[in-house]
């Protein structure tokens, strides 16, 4: 097995561990509405969704931060795994589509990590 394949196998194991950690916890109860989802809501609905998110984040700051950190890690590991497993010479269109997907995953990771930081900072202010 080549070093790159070995690293990809380690990343796969890490992804499985993250999935298990997320499945075995109360993380399904952590609400999150992305900007696209919120933008599609009516103003009253948007305000209600944001209020629910804020309340849950304040009631469960540790679980919320863990959820967003694991979400971030999972997304970045997906990116790394995809980059490691890419072989051959993709067409320019395939390459562009792949890069767009990787950029999307990387943005998701960054946003999740930022949300974790916001939750932790809010907890620090409340103390």
């Amino acid at each position: 097995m080549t070093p790159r394949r070995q690293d990809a196998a380690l990343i796969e194991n890490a992804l499985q561990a993250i999935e298990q950690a997320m499945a075995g916890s109360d993380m399904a109860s952590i609400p999150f509405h992305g900007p696209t989802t919120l933008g599609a809501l009516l103003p009253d609905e948007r305000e209600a969704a944001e209020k629910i998110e804020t309340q849950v984040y304040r009631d469960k700051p540790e679980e919320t931060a863990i959820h967003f950190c694991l979400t971030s890690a999972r997304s970045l590991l997906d990116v790394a795994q995809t980059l490691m497993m890419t072989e051959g010479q993709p067409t320019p269109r395939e390459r562009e589509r792949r890069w767009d997907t990787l950029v999307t995953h990387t943005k998701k990771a960054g946003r999740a990590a930022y949300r974790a930081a916001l939750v932790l900072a809010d907890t620090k202010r409340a103390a």
Side-chain angles (χ1 to χ4, degrees):
M1 189 179 281
T2 65
R4 198 171 215 186
R5 291 271 183 208
Q6 289 173 335
D7 290 343
L10 290 172
I11 288 172
E12 179 61 32
N13 290 338
L15 280 165
Q16 289 175 5
I18 289 172
E19 292 295 332
Q20 287 176 342
M22 292 180 87
S25 69
D26 188 28
M27 293 191 199
S29 69
I30 306 298
F32 172 72
H33 302 90
T36 304
T37 304
L38 287 174
L41 298 175
L42 296 172
D44 290 344
E45 294 172 328
R46 184 179 324 118
E47 185 177 326
E50 289 172 335
K51 200 176 276 190
I52 290 169
E53 281 184 2
T54 300
Q55 190 59 49
V56 170
Y57 298 173
R58 287 187 176 147
D59 291 345
K60 300 178 175 185
E62 292 87 1
E63 292 89 344
T64 300
I66 291 167
H67 169 73
F68 286 125
C69 286
L70 290 174
T71 298
S72 179
R74 181 178 58 192
S75 293
L76 289 175
L77 286 170
D78 281 339
V79 170
Q81 183 180 49
T82 300
L83 290 169
M84 286 182 173
M85 298 303 290
T86 301
E87 293 181 359
Q89 296 296 323
T91 66
R93 184 175 296 232
E94 289 170 338
R95 185 176 183 82
E96 181 179 353
R97 190 175 23 243
R98 185 178 303 138
W99 283 111
D100 287 345
T101 300
L102 295 177
V103 166
T104 299
H105 282 290
T106 305
K107 285 180 182 178
K108 179 180 178 181
R111 289 179 182 134
Y114 182 67
R115 280 214 175 227
L118 291 175
V119 169
L120 294 171
D122 188 50
T123 302
K124 186 177 173 182
R125 277 194 305 264

